[in-house]
């Protein structure tokens, strides 16, 4: 039976560490490693391997290889369930991989030089899980399994929407309109100021006032 391989991720340099046994059920901590003294460094290739031409059976493997010669240092199978690779609890750049050699296996630490490389590595593993089994639930990198609930906001049969408008401005406008409407509905004529007197009328008023004053002044001296 033929097999087909495709590279889904590659990193030119990763660091591999000898790590102490797991001490807590919470997970591994990179702070407990001697990160300044890796036991090996080289290239990481993540392969997606199909067991037949129809690719109905696929698996994923991590290959740690020498950068110059391509010699295989160790391989670690990665399962759809996520078994085989575990991120540490105190860093986004370090992982624990389960390397296999025949019937034997061991847990080694693996670190990336850049956080972006570690992120791309995580994305490649998640993409493999979706490809290998579309029905599998994906667990985010923070370790918390969450499912997004899609809410239906559409109106059901018989439901309506009621919109309440503000009353402040509308009330002031209504009061002004009511006062204008009440004045127009009463039928009473609006008062008008008389027109200003003409120049001729003003002259006549001045003459009449002056004549009356002369009569009053002379009346005081009548014996």
């Amino acid at each position: 039976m033929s097999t087909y391989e495709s590279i889904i991720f590659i990193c030119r340099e990763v660091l591999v560490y000898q790590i102490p046994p797991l001490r807590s059920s919470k997970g591994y901590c990179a702070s407990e490693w001697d990160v300044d003294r890796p036991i090996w460094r080289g290239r990481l290739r993540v392969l997606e391997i199909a067991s037949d031409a129809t690719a109905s059976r696929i698996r994923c493997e991590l290959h740690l290889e020498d950068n110059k010669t391509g010699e295989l240092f160790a391989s670690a199978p990665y399962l759809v369930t996520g078994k085989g690779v575990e991120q540490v609890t105190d860093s986004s750049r370090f992982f624990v991989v389960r390397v296999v050699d025949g019937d034997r296996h061991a847990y080694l630490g693996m670190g990336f030089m850049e956080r972006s490389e570690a992120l791309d590595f995580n994305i490649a593993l998640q993409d493999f899980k979706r490809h290998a089994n579309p029905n599998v639930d994906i667990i985010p990198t923070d370790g918390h399994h969450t499912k997004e609930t899609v809410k239906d906001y559409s109106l059901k049969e018989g439901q309506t929407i009621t919109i309440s408008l503000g009353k402040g401005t509308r009330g002031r406008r209504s009061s002004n309109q009511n006062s204008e409407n009440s004045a127009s509905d009463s039928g009473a004529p609006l008062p008008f100021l008389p027109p200003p007197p003409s120049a001729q009328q003003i002259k006549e008023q001045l003459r009449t006032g002056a004549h009356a004053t002369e009569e009053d002044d002379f009346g005081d001296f009548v014996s």
Side-chain angles (χ1 to χ4, degrees), residues 15-20 29-41 88 90-91 93-95 109-113:
L15 307 177
V16 175
Y17 302 92
Q18 191 79 36
I19 61 175
C29 295
S31 59
E32 299 176 354
W33 309 348
D34 191 357
V35 294
D36 295 329
R37 298 180 62 185
I39 62 173
W40 181 86
R41 67 172 58 200
V88 300
D90 57 347
S91 175
R93 294 192 298 113
F94 295 91
F95 299 81
M110 183 178 69
F112 291 90
M113 304 296 292

Side-chain angles (χ1 to χ4, degrees), residues 11 30 47 55 64 95 102 110 118 139 143 160 191 207:
C11 182
L47 304 178
L64 297 169
F95 299 81
M110 183 178 69
I139 301 177
T160 58
R207 290 197 197 97

Side-chain angles (χ1 to χ4, degrees), residues 4 6 15 18 30 39 64-65 82 90 119 130 147 155 176 186 189 198 201 212:
Y4 301 87
S6 61
L15 307 177
Q18 191 79 36
I39 62 173
L64 297 169
E65 304 168 339
D90 57 347
L119 176 61
R130 295 187 185 94
K147 286 188 176 180
L155 293 178
N176 294 336
S186 62
S198 63
Q201 290 176 340

